Amino acid sequence: MQRIGVLTSGGDASGMNSCIRAVVRKAIYHGLEVIGIRRGYSGFIDADMGPMNLSSVADIIGRGGTILHTARSERFMTREGRAMAMENVERFGIQGLVVIGGDGSFTGASIFYQEHGIPVICVPGTIDNDIAGTDYTIGFDTAVNNVVDAINKIRDTATSHERTFVIEVMGRNSGNIALAAGLAGGAESILIPEIPFNVEDICKKLLNGIKRGKLHSVILVAEGAASGLEIGKKIKELTGFDTKVTILGHLQRGGSPTAFDRILAARLGAKAVELLMAGETNKMVGIRAGEIVATDLTEVLGKPSPINKEMYDLARILSI
Amino acid sequence: MQRIGVLTSGGDASGMNSCIRAVVRKAIYHGLEVIGIRRGYSGFIDADMGPMNLSSVADIIGRGGTILHTARSERFMTREGRAMAMENVERFGIQGLVVIGGDGSFTGASIFYQEHGIPVICVPGTIDNDIAGTDYTIGFDTAVNNVVDAINKIRDTATSHERTFVIEVMGRNSGNIALAAGLAGGAESILIPEIPFNVEDICKKLLNGIKRGKLHSVILVAEGAASGLEIGKKIKELTGFDTKVTILGHLQRGGSPTAFDRILAARLGAKAVELLMAGETNKMVGIRAGEIVATDLTEVLGKPSPINKEMYDLARILSI
Amino acid sequence: MQRIGVLTSGGDASGMNSCIRAVVRKAIYHGLEVIGIRRGYSGFIDADMGPMNLSSVADIIGRGGTILHTARSERFMTREGRAMAMENVERFGIQGLVVIGGDGSFTGASIFYQEHGIPVICVPGTIDNDIAGTDYTIGFDTAVNNVVDAINKIRDTATSHERTFVIEVMGRNSGNIALAAGLAGGAESILIPEIPFNVEDICKKLLNGIKRGKLHSVILVAEGAASGLEIGKKIKELTGFDTKVTILGHLQRGGSPTAFDRILAARLGAKAVELLMAGETNKMVGIRAGEIVATDLTEVLGKPSPINKEMYDLARILSI
Amino acid sequence: MQRIGVLTSGGDASGMNSCIRAVVRKAIYHGLEVIGIRRGYSGFIDADMGPMNLSSVADIIGRGGTILHTARSERFMTREGRAMAMENVERFGIQGLVVIGGDGSFTGASIFYQEHGIPVICVPGTIDNDIAGTDYTIGFDTAVNNVVDAINKIRDTATSHERTFVIEVMGRNSGNIALAAGLAGGAESILIPEIPFNVEDICKKLLNGIKRGKLHSVILVAEGAASGLEIGKKIKELTGFDTKVTILGHLQRGGSPTAFDRILAARLGAKAVELLMAGETNKMVGIRAGEIVATDLTEVLGKPSPINKEMYDLARILSI
């Protein structure tokens, strides 16, 4: 192994830059060369790539997003697109590939490996924390802190006006952000796609709270569980409360990564390089029980990543 | 003057607590007693009020929102409602009133004074910074920093994905937040109610930027100028760019106040007490040219508070 | 079990309030009563304690420090002091005790249990993360983020002036904060008590960096490894570089807890109550491999909590 | 005027980058060329300079420090040094110079203009806010918010342990940072070089506070007023209180600039370019009463910039 490629793919996640930095420096430390591939698989196909050195990754450890940019690529889902990418692999002398992204990106990497035999190691970088084989994904901790920060600010208004606030957060298929941020932010109710709910129960809880003197409430809704606007409307109908809705949107992704995400990203990125050097392929690095481990992609792709039911129950108990 | 009342009214603004603290402590320092009135004019009518002392305002200097809570009151717009409030003035022995809020709250205060003769001093507390007679209102600086912080985070994603983002911020009648945050955050275009715009020009600018290699853009829209969703839709239609929209909503108001808002709030609150002690009434305290000054409410109510045209032009120049 | 006591002891750590909230609410949820003991063992001896209810812990989830206050108590190290505390146990009808603190506090709790038979469950709350039996202690993640935030700010000056900065961080016996913050903040060297170092090597690395064009450096020193001032002086002597020193001090402890610390604190606090209800005693709750577990205090007290050598080596590699 | 130079000099201040960005973009907008001079007067002498374009200043609006770097230069204080700089002025075709820095940097600029006739416009960039002719300097607002943030964190520990904390902040000749941060942070006492104090009075106030139930105190000391360590020692001697000292040091300077500093920097930088284009020289731009104005350097250099006595008295009143 003398030269590796690295790319970021899918939705951006804070900490991807720390991971790129780790991949580049770890590789250079061991005498490898690194090709940075821009715009994910799209740039991989279009040869939008070039060599990276120590100073390519200077001062990026604390910056959100990804300096390699990212994109979704329809073409890489086709055999022709992947064949074009393989031409670039040969042209640039790439002998192994690090793919930082989510489930969809890993699927592409795995097919690419199977078709062309080029070793691939995947690194979980997605704010949703919904990938099997790792306890945490890069960007999740930052996203959760972003949401908690927003809850804090909104609660100031909720308290001052004695209002109910519905906050819709990211998570199409996963309630992880809503659950963690709701527990950390003391949300009165948390709605996630993994667990059925009905608005009547939420309203009952709100009314009980009012009876006990609780003057404001925050209800967190994962976008995959329901529409924040609809939940707000229903609560207003059923309780008559002045209910406001905020959809947090894209500000959840960005910002300087937390220390946790930076450290996780550094450890995972370095491990990915080690695995390529050891001749491994078709694996994802992850953190399990505090240890950095590798898992075969066949055990990752399409596998469920269940929410922590203990945390869900705890959030319910603590918000009485 | 032996006993004064203080209330917060209208939308909450960060720094209101610092102002309440200043009113209470300044008054006590001069031997006055303070009655805190909860829920704005609503609590004023309902006698939701009671004495405050030094420890009532301990540890609130850094907290967003208002510990006195706030509300909108239809009843105070009626002669009957105000008469009920006047009964509470007599019952609690209040000899002067400090009203922290915005234009609507000041109108109520002014009518109350005219009908019942109780001295009132108003303090401008609103995130919009749209009140005549003061260069800054309490809460504006914090709101602008909140928006800039959100722009920073969203720009990480805009850059990573090379997208155009439309961000809708508060300001029904005023573009002040959009203008200040847009200049501070380096927004490519700023749409405010005070200045006409057309989406074609914005798109032209976006396309010129693309030609020069600019890969992402942030367009800030004050809610009073246009709907962020509609602007986003039109840009997409006209340019074909992947355009995303975020509506920042209520997180703009809250959070721990900036140093600027805390200091402004302290100075204005203390001045309000001084004015009441000096026998003044029907005035608003404000900061003008760095000095804390009093302005007759007749020169404040309904008067325009124009935007800073120099800053608007500058924002346009710097975003080339 | 009908009534439990809770206290915080030793140095304050951000997240202690989230833990107190969890203990109180979890206990009330299960029908228990809670006595809050103020000022740690000192208040335990002096009967500085009283009942807590749901509203005692409202709005504290996001506040640093501990609303129960904390103190070091010489008297509780004596048999007489502990006997006085036992009198209060009886007087207030306490049947089980939750102690949130560090190693020293746990020793006191253990002796108290052995002498008086009152069940005690300990919760690790200390910024140092140096307690056996748990992967993380409450307050560590917040402290590390505080340090990283400070490194970011100082690096702005280091870069602008092309200077070397030595930053001394907390950690008398443990390099955990220095190591995590150094890795997350991209420190060029990290000095910790667990691993020998010599200043000559650090200077050699600095000089190599200069040769490669590196114009600024940050060296992180755990207070238990060396004096920041002395390290700075030696570097200046050996290299002639303009070297500045900052001792971060107490600002490392405080601030609103991170989401990670809030969630950890909630889970540990709730588990402590569960253990008391299950008749357990003389145990510490902790998080191991993502699971909340209980460990006998005999396996915790005085046991080493080694640093993560992989992370130390990684920090060295990534700072080339 | 076809080509201008820009440099930053003296201690770095957050917002300098926003100012450089404004100078560059405003100049380019008007068809001028810009030469960026690195390392202040030192690089000016050594020809460490080169052309800047729109992308030189992309993405720097939110970054602390200065991308042009800064340095102190003994050589520029000599006629020979300045003659060498003049050679570079001719070599690079510079027809006007923007100097961003403090009092010392302005003196150098003024002498340079007098000796060599090259037009200079100065921009006040220093965290101390101690320059005559402007109400605010770039970097002051950010520094004050940094200190307030530190006070908040330290107060968590002060409260939890019921301790007195002495915090030493920057300000060798000026108490502006201490005064603003002390008023905003609710410090119990503020010691500044402009106003005499004695430690006995501070201790009396502390003891009075204790009597009234105040359990913790924060005393802010400007480094020019006294040594924090000595003040802490004396307070401990006189009161017996557990008194801790923190010297904030260099973290006060850095960090992403506040919205206020970014806007101020943009407006001042743009105005500097306008003045050069209008044929002006030997002036400083500043903000006075909200307006951007120019002042002759003769009215700036060595002139006192008194503290705001009203704010000092207010801080005292509010900390009762």
Side-chain angles (χ1 to χ4, degrees), chain D residues 209-220:
Chain D
I210 295 283
K211 276 187 208 150
R212 284 209 337 271
K214 200 164 210 170
L215 297 170
H216 58 273
S217 291
V218 166
I219 291 157
L220 222 56

Side-chain angles (χ1 to χ4, degrees), chain B residues 289-307:
Chain B
E291 298 293 313
I292 303 300
V293 294
T295 307
D296 207 276
L297 278 180
T298 55
E299 292 168 47
V300 171
L301 297 176
K303 291 286 184 300
S305 165
I307 62 145

Side-chain angles (χ1 to χ4, degrees), chain B residues 1 6 28 40 51 54 57 59 73 80 90 121 130-131 136 160 187 196 241 248-249 260 265 275 281 285 291 315 318:
Chain B
M1 188 75 42
V6 58
I28 290 174
L54 290 180
V57 294
D59 293 329
S73 171
E80 294 70 32
E90 283 158 7
I121 300 292
D130 59 350
I131 293 183
Y136 291 101
S160 299
F241 293 167
L248 286 189
F260 186 95
L275 289 176
T281 183
V285 291
E291 298 293 313
L318 298 188

